[in-house]
Amino acid sequence: MRRSSGTENQISSAGLDLTVNFREGLLAVMLLLRPTAIAQRTFKFSTRKYATEAGQLRKTGLYDFHVENKAKMVPFAGYSMPLSYGDVGQVASHNHVRTDAGLFDVGHMVQSNFRGPTATQFLEWLTPSSLSSLKPYSSTLSVILNEKGGIIDDTIVTKHAEDAFYVVTNAGRRDRDLAWFTEKLEQWNSTEHAKNGPVEMEVLENWGLIALQGPRAASYLQALTSFDLQKLTFGTSAFVPLEGFNLHVARGGYTGEDGFEISIPPSETVEVAKILSKYPVQLTGLGARDSLRLEAGMCLYGNDLDEDTTPVEAGLSWVIGKERKESGEFIGAEGVREHLKNGPPRRRVGFIIEGAPARQGAKIFSGTEQIGTITSGIPSPTLNKNIAMGYVKNGFHKKGTELEVEVRNRRRQAVVTSMPFVKPNYWRG
């Protein structure tokens, strides 16, 4: 997802869609500080690693809807996804979400249900989170770890009941995640754990997932439902009647704004999108999504998280249940506990950078020593400053630490800064 901007900045299923290889495409479209820069540049996306042939790109259920609305479609995480719509630029879209409401298609995300008598215990083995103490219809950000404690993926886990969970994972990690789930389910179900019945996984293929985000999102959605959205606080979900549909609606967001993520059966996705996208709600693409998520301090898998990074290094120790840090039995526990006990070799931090914006891969220095690397960076439309996040050697991570980042063969001043960069606007009741 990043950091730590805290628990409040993490609970977002749609927020997890900016995934591996993002740097090969979307980072090319980030603007300089002046909004007019978008008119002065031509941006190109690389299709490398997304598909061996253009025809192999997947399409969400809203592909035709995007084209009809003059979207610029680009390869992203194996899908053809909207970068922007019509002549509305990235900065304008970004600002509209910060002040009003925007609608995002995140139907490329992998939505799954896990059911069975020991579903809670299975997912607590698969992740380090305390799911047994999670209330029904509550969500938490979590991480799927490999045997060494590295992050295979970040995920949102929503508990419907002790034996039923709804899990959302990244599109760019689809093959890796589903293979891992299948392998671990076979292991789990071959032991005494399954004596009362197996745990089963159902992938919700072709289901829609839409994120309505912004300070006015709740008022727009409330006009379409009899359900009292005041009762739906940040990090909770419910089945909500919406213009004749009954849809799973989770309150949360990858943008740092108030908002909702709505799961939709395949046959209803386009109609629901049409209902939700009426003026002044603005269709919003990947360009604005990245700048919004970074201002909110959210991680991007493939840039800020990978299988060689533990949740402790990533500033995500809070996703590990308090009682599980010392005695919890979960995959990767040994590597995680090593970093918890002795400290990680590096830490993820935020930066404010002078001069030109630093991009993914820029080197971080203290004097002549390289002590880290930038993993994400943009000019912030909201702050009118260059912001970034990256990993630095442990000991250089304290707020206010002055370092340098190499940008365009020149050292730029970089100050370690708290995240999120922009104060979140979540509804907590």
Side-chain angles (χ1 to χ4, degrees):
M1 141 140 103
R2 192 249 159 296
R3 143 170 202 311
S4 183
S5 55
T7 305
E8 64 182 11
N9 289 339
Q10 293 298 334
I11 305 176
S12 169
S13 57
L16 303 173
D17 68 333
L18 298 173
T19 53
V20 67
N21 294 322
F22 185 91
R23 56 185 173 276
E24 295 183 13
L26 193 51
L27 289 179
V29 307
M30 293 298 99
L31 309 175
L32 296 178
L33 289 174
R34 297 189 302 275
T36 53
I38 195 168
Q40 302 169 357
R41 289 165 173 78
T42 299
F43 302 115
K44 295 181 180 180
F45 272 62
S46 168
T47 59
R48 185 167 66 89
K49 295 185 182 179
Y50 291 115
T52 55
E53 297 178 7
Q56 291 181 341
L57 287 174
R58 293 172 175 260
K59 298 178 181 179
T60 73
L62 292 178
Y63 177 85
D64 291 337
F65 174 78
H66 297 315
V67 173
E68 290 169 5
N69 283 277
K70 300 179 180 180
K72 178 180 179 180
M73 306 301 291
V74 296
F76 178 73
Y79 280 77
S80 181
M81 296 294 291
L83 171 67
S84 59
Y85 295 84
D87 58 359
V88 181
Q90 177 255 341
V91 172
S93 290
H94 175 111
N95 291 336
H96 190 82
V97 174
R98 285 277 180 253
T99 58
D100 203 297
L103 193 72
F104 301 83
D105 176 16
V106 286
H108 59 320
M109 303 295 292
V110 183
Q111 304 176 68
S112 303
N113 287 321
F114 288 82
R115 301 187 184 94
T118 57
T120 298
Q121 292 81 2
F122 170 72
L123 290 173
E124 284 192 332
W125 176 54
L126 208 65
T127 76
S129 298
S130 295
L131 304 179
S132 55
S133 60
L134 200 64
K135 295 180 179 179
Y137 287 89
S138 294
S139 303
T140 182
L141 177 83
S142 192
V143 285
I144 303 163
L145 303 178
N146 60 30
E147 301 290 353
K148 295 182 179 179
I151 301 172
I152 294 175
D153 203 357
D154 49 345
T155 178
I156 295 298
V157 179
T158 300
K159 182 179 184 177
H160 288 165
E162 290 294 330
D163 60 353
F165 289 82
Y166 167 67
V167 176
V168 179
T169 50
N170 283 306
R173 300 295 284 169
R174 179 189 178 94
D175 292 346
R176 174 69 165 119
D177 290 344
L178 294 183
W180 185 258
F181 290 154
T182 299
E183 175 188 340
K184 297 308 173 185
L185 278 169
E186 290 178 354
Q187 291 182 24
W188 185 266
N189 289 331
S190 65
T191 68
E192 282 292 310
H193 296 298
K195 63 182 179 181
N196 294 323
V199 176
E200 298 178 342
M201 176 180 64
E202 174 194 19
V203 180
L204 301 178
E205 294 287 9
N206 301 316
W207 276 55
L209 190 61
I210 290 176
L212 178 64
Q213 298 282 293
R216 297 185 180 178
S219 61
Y220 296 149
L221 188 61
Q222 187 64 78
L224 301 172
T225 179
S226 59
F227 185 94
D228 184 3
L229 295 177
Q230 295 281 324
K231 298 178 180 178
L232 194 65
T233 55
F234 178 79
T236 65
S237 60
F239 282 94
V240 174
L242 180 67
E243 295 285 281
F245 304 105
N246 190 41
L247 304 174
H248 186 269
V249 177
R251 197 158 196 165
Y254 193 56
T255 63
E257 296 295 336
D258 185 23
F260 307 87
E261 292 160 357
I262 305 168
S263 180
I264 313 166
S267 62
E268 302 169 0
T269 303
V270 174
E271 189 170 351
V272 172
K274 289 179 178 179
I275 292 170
L276 293 174
S277 61
K278 294 178 181 178
Y279 180 85
V281 175
Q282 189 176 89
L283 296 175
T284 313
L286 296 174
R289 191 163 189 79
D290 189 54
S291 53
L292 289 161
R293 72 91 189 172
L294 187 48
E295 286 186 347
M298 303 289 188
C299 280
L300 167 64
Y301 197 94
N303 277 39
D304 312 306
L305 303 175
D306 57 34
E307 292 208 40
D308 294 320
T309 301
T310 71
V312 184
E313 292 176 304
L316 297 177
S317 299
W318 61 267
V319 308
I320 307 169
K322 183 178 180 180
E323 73 284 1
R324 309 195 72 210
K325 290 181 178 179
E326 293 185 3
S327 59
E329 295 182 5
F330 58 87
I331 297 170
E334 184 177 350
V336 169
R337 290 198 182 102
E338 168 63 24
H339 282 183
L340 286 171
K341 180 180 179 180
N342 299 317
R346 59 189 183 129
R347 295 179 184 269
R348 184 176 58 84
V349 296
F351 293 100
I352 298 292
I353 298 173
E354 297 296 327
R359 306 302 189 184
Q360 189 269 342
K363 298 176 181 179
I364 304 168
F365 290 89
S366 175
T368 59
E369 180 187 7
Q370 183 183 347
I371 50 91
T373 305
I374 295 295
T375 54
S376 291
I378 59 162
S380 165
T382 303
L383 302 177
N384 199 32
K385 296 178 181 179
N386 297 320
I387 62 175
M389 67 169 68
Y391 286 83
V392 296
K393 184 185 297 185
N394 199 4
F396 292 90
H397 63 283
K398 295 182 179 179
K399 179 182 176 181
T401 300
E402 295 184 1
L403 301 170
E404 291 181 311
V405 175
E406 188 174 87
V407 182
R408 301 174 188 171
N409 298 316
R410 178 181 172 186
R411 298 283 184 89
R412 314 278 180 170
Q413 183 181 18
V415 179
V416 176
T417 307
S418 298
M419 293 185 283
F421 298 98
V422 174
K423 184 179 179 180
N425 191 31
Y426 302 124
W427 170 252
R428 298 190 177 280

